[in-house]
């Protein structure tokens, strides 16, 4: 078949981030093994404005220079703080990001002579200024009997965005929207004057084998992107066991 030239194989742009984060944008491409079609140039754009360019031919002429950042062409774009020394031919790094860093990021590759075939992909990044808040769990009773129904609600305290909510029981992840082994999690989103919020409901039966040392360890965790997590650990105790304070009280 005919050679397709240089093409983008994947584009990785985080969908959300927080102010002050370091963000990595990655654009993987492959060069054709047929017809000798190589990369002519790779460029990055924010909202249509170019801020990074790599041209292999020009790079080869500049390899002997002391400053490796001279290999790349940088353009001042509002909201983009490019970490040149941390960037390379497939990945660019933005540091100290702000709300102004939000936008559409496009990677463009152009093949070399004779076709100069061009391909691009775009993804959106949204930056928030509100830190991730530890979620709050309600519905916990003082104690539980074996096979009693446990019904808990976990809500996020964030208003600018709705983080993902994840549950674990005794270290076991519970997948949202799935009911297995008597576990079920339902996730709801709502919007109001103060912004958006998310609430996750977890229901399960308190089987005897779930109580370890008289307690069930439950964690509700809020997540934003790959790097931000806040967890609220809670313990559910069995009504059949006497706790140390009860022993102390009964001992008189």
């Amino acid at each position: 078949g005919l050679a397709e030239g240089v093409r983008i194989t994947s584009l990785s742009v985080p969908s959300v981030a927080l102010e002050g984060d370091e963000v990595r944008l990655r654009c993987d491409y492959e060069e054709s093994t047929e017809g000798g079609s190589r990369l002519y140039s790779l460029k990055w754009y924010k909202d249509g404005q170019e801020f990074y360019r790599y041209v292999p031919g020009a790079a080869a002429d500049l390899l002997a220079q002391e400053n490796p950042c001279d290999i790349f062409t940088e353009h001042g774009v509002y909201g983009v703080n490019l970490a040149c020394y941390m960037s390379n031919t497939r990945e660019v790094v933005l540091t100290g990001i702000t709300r102004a860093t939000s936008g559409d990021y496009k990677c463009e590759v152009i093949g070399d002579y004779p076709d100069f075939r061009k391909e691009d992909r775009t993804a959106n990044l949204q930056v928030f200024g509100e830190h991730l808040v530890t979620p709050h769990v309600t519905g916990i009773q003082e104690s539980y009997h074996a096979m009693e129904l446990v019904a808990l609600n976990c809500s996020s305290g964030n208003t600018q965005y709705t983080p993902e909510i994840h549950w674990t029981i005794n270290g076991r992840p519970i997948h949202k929207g799935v009911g297995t082994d008597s576990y079920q999690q339902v996730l709801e989103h709502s919007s109001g004057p103060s912004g958006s919020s998310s609430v996750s409901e977890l229901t399960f039966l308190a089987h005897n084998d779930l109580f370890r040392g008289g307690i069930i360890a439950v964690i509700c965790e809020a997540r934003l992107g790959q790097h931000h997590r806040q967890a609220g650990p809670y313990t559910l105790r069995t009504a059949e066991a006497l706790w140390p304070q009860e022993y102390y009280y009964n001992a008189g």
Side-chain angles (χ1 to χ4, degrees):
L2 297 176
E4 294 185 356
V6 179
R7 69 182 188 91
I8 297 174
T9 57
S10 66
L11 176 67
S12 176
V13 176
S15 58
V16 293
L18 297 183
E19 286 188 317
D21 281 354
E22 175 185 288
V23 172
R24 294 177 178 268
L25 315 177
R26 185 172 182 86
C27 183
D28 284 316
Y29 60 89
E30 66 178 14
E31 299 171 299
S32 173
T33 57
E34 302 179 35
S37 180
R38 311 290 290 180
L39 177 71
Y40 174 74
S41 69
L42 179 145
K43 299 179 182 180
W44 280 95
Y45 300 82
K46 175 186 180 290
D47 297 329
Q49 292 184 282
E50 180 187 347
F51 67 89
Y52 186 89
R53 180 189 304 176
Y54 169 66
V55 182
D61 295 335
L62 294 169
L63 282 177
Q65 296 194 17
E66 293 183 1
N67 184 0
C69 287
D70 287 342
I71 295 175
F72 308 108
T73 300
E74 303 177 44
H75 303 270
V77 175
Y78 180 63
V80 174
N81 182 27
L82 177 66
C84 178
Y85 284 90
M86 301 172 64
S87 303
N88 55 50
T89 59
R90 298 178 185 271
E91 187 175 72
V92 295
V93 180
L94 309 181
T95 60
I97 67 173
T98 66
R99 298 288 294 275
T101 312
S102 299
D104 291 326
Y105 287 83
K106 179 175 70 174
C107 172
E108 174 193 273
V109 296
I110 299 179
D112 209 338
Y113 177 86
D115 295 326
F116 293 101
R117 179 179 181 271
K118 181 172 71 173
E119 183 178 6
D120 61 69
R121 292 190 190 181
T122 303
N124 183 264
L125 166 65
Q126 185 69 36
V127 180
F128 298 99
E130 179 186 44
H131 71 277
L132 185 61
V133 177
T134 302
H136 179 63
V137 172
T138 58
I140 297 179
Q141 300 176 186
E142 182 178 356
S143 61
Y144 292 88
H145 294 281
M147 299 306 293
E148 185 174 354
L149 180 66
V150 179
L152 308 176
N153 284 318
C154 180
S155 58
S156 70
N158 290 98
T159 58
Q160 289 186 6
Y161 51 85
T162 54
E164 294 183 354
I165 293 181
H166 298 263
W167 292 92
T168 62
I169 299 176
N170 292 334
R172 174 185 177 181
I174 306 301
H175 300 289
K176 60 185 178 183
V178 178
T180 57
D181 298 334
S182 300
Y183 303 114
Q184 184 176 14
Q185 182 190 166
V186 180
L187 186 63
E188 298 180 353
H189 296 282
S190 62
S191 299
S194 60
S196 301
S197 63
S198 57
V199 178
S200 178
E201 177 186 351
L202 177 67
T203 59
F204 64 95
L205 294 177
H207 291 276
N208 277 321
D209 57 358
L210 286 178
F211 288 100
R212 300 178 180 179
I215 65 171
I216 302 175
V218 175
I219 294 178
C220 176
E221 183 179 65
R223 301 179 186 175
L224 182 71
Q226 298 181 347
H227 306 292
H228 297 281
R229 298 187 177 191
Q230 289 288 348
Y234 298 88
T235 55
L236 315 180
R237 69 173 186 172
T238 175
E240 281 74 18
L242 289 176
W243 288 78
Q245 62 267 28
E246 294 175 322
Y247 281 115
Y248 179 82
Y249 176 79
N250 290 336

